Amino acid sequence: MKTAAGDSMSNQGEPPHVLLVEDNFVNQKVATVLLQRLGLKVKITSNGREAVEAVSNQKFDLILMDCHMPVMDGFEATVAIREIEARTNAYSPIIAVTALAMSGDRERCIAAGMDDYLSKPIDIDLLKAKVAHWLRTEVVFESQKQRRKVLRPNSALTLVKSAPLDMAELEEFYEPEQLTDMMEMFLNDTQDMLGKVQKHMDEKNSKLVAALAHEIKASCASIGAKNLARLCLYLEQTACRHDWIEAEETATSIEREFSSLRDYIQSHLPQESTPA
Ligand code: MN
């Protein structure tokens, strides 16, 4: 039993087990939902060290590895995992999941021993294809649960252009509870990070502002909040070049955009008490 494929094929009925390594909680949630949709069992770890620990205790059919994480990044973790596997004669394919913002990342992924990569935000069709390829087994979408929510009749009229994200699209894709969970996590997390952005702006710490802006951008991109994602990208860039005047203005726009996004999300979330 050298390959993951051999294992998952012989384990009829048992879903393939995926290890998700990701430090951004919103991305974690999104990826988990996507992987579960593909019928996979998911174990979540939030940094490379936890991932290495998980791999030394358990065999995974596939690993999705974020590259940039605190404590231990995805490159180091992959090297450590490959070392463990060399001793145990096991092998789990590792797919890097990254924004690949820096052009050297791809080479670093391969050099570290990863097998493939997916860019963020994760595209479900691409994920499905990669998962199928690396598990070498048919992955079927968990019968798409046709009970899609009926769209509010007038939503098309009121949202049109200015909607900060496409809630109807999200509602089609996620179960109401998943969506509520995810949005609450997004709002809390982002609120938190924005507080820190302000603090680090005051300190003119361009590294930390850029890192936070990058993180918020990633969360926004995974839920489809494009405007906010774009503003965060701009903040990241302005912080990197120490353009604090532009950065301050952008931060103000981000606060404004976030507050309208929050209002929008809160008024459009599926109501818990109201049956669909
Ligand atoms: Mn990360």
Side-chain angles (χ1 to χ4, degrees):
M1 26 176 246
K2 172 97 177 147
T3 65
D7 279 0
S8 61
M9 302 238 251
S10 58
N11 269 338
Q12 287 283 338
E14 180 69 9
H17 210 151
V18 176
L19 176 65
L20 173 66
V21 194
E22 166 69 63
D23 64 309
N24 178 305
F25 291 121
V26 174
N27 289 348
Q28 233 179 46
K29 185 83 191 172
V30 170
T32 302
V33 171
L34 296 182
L35 291 165
Q36 286 170 344
R37 279 290 168 87
L38 296 174
L40 306 169
K41 204 169 150 201
V42 185
K43 176 168 174 70
I44 302 167
T45 52
S46 302
N47 64 58
R49 185 161 304 156
E50 287 177 14
V52 174
E53 254 174 56
V55 169
S56 49
N57 294 326
Q58 194 189 336
K59 167 94 180 66
F60 293 94
D61 299 296
L62 185 67
I63 299 172
L64 254 65
M65 181 76 80
D66 182 24
C67 289
H68 303 288
M69 291 177 292
V71 188
M72 182 189 274
D73 68 23
F75 306 108
E76 283 179 82
T78 300
V79 170
I81 288 170
R82 292 300 181 229
E83 277 168 13
I84 294 171
E85 290 177 338
R87 292 197 297 273
T88 57
N89 199 30
Y91 193 86
S92 303
I94 299 180
I95 302 179
V97 182
T98 172
L100 289 177
M102 286 155 284
S103 54
D105 270 9
R106 197 180 169 183
E107 288 69 30
R108 284 184 76 193
C109 291
I110 306 295
M114 300 193 211
D115 300 282
D116 203 348
Y117 79 94
L118 261 173
S119 52
K120 282 183 193 173
I122 297 177
D123 174 88
I124 181 68
D125 293 321
L126 209 53
L127 176 69
K128 187 177 172 183
K130 301 250 181 196
V131 165
H133 174 76
W134 289 106
L135 294 177
R136 290 190 182 79
T137 173
E138 195 65 29
V139 179
V140 186
F141 249 54
E142 197 188 292
S143 73
Q144 276 288 13
K145 310 205 173 135
Q146 292 302 349
R147 53 193 190 84
R148 297 189 156 175
K149 267 181 78 92
V150 179
L151 298 182
R152 289 168 196 79
N154 61 351
S155 60
L157 292 175
T158 48
L159 314 184
V160 205
K161 268 184 195 158
S162 59
L165 89 171
D166 191 343
M167 192 61 99
E169 189 181 57
L170 291 168
E171 283 178 343
E172 269 190 39
F173 201 77
Y174 296 104
E175 298 293 319
E177 318 81 62
Q178 290 174 334
L179 189 55
T180 306
D181 256 31
M182 194 181 298
M183 289 300 149
E184 274 167 9
M185 190 177 283
F186 169 80
L187 291 176
N188 291 335
D189 238 44
T190 306
Q191 180 78 71
D192 230 55
M193 290 195 278
L194 286 175
K196 290 182 192 151
V197 165
Q198 203 44 66
K199 177 174 167 288
H200 297 310
M201 293 272 285
D202 296 342
E203 299 160 352
K204 300 223 184 317
N205 187 329
S206 76
K207 239 186 168 162
L208 291 179
V209 171
L212 280 163
H214 184 88
E215 224 25 66
I216 302 171
K217 181 188 70 185
S219 301
C220 291
S222 31
I223 65 161
K226 297 199 185 89
N227 289 340
L228 194 51
R230 219 169 287 132
L231 285 169
C232 289
L233 170 64
Y234 193 58
L235 177 61
E236 188 184 349
Q237 293 167 340
T238 49
C240 281
R241 51 173 204 262
H242 303 268
D243 184 348
W244 294 110
I245 294 172
E246 195 70 26
E248 280 291 351
E249 278 177 18
T250 310
T252 307
S253 308
I254 287 175
E255 291 285 354
R256 207 181 307 122
E257 178 71 22
F258 177 67
S259 113
S260 71
L261 176 61
R262 185 180 46 215
D263 292 347
Y264 180 84
I265 289 174
Q266 282 166 351
S267 61
H268 285 78
L269 272 184
Q271 297 297 305
E272 274 174 40
S273 47
T274 318

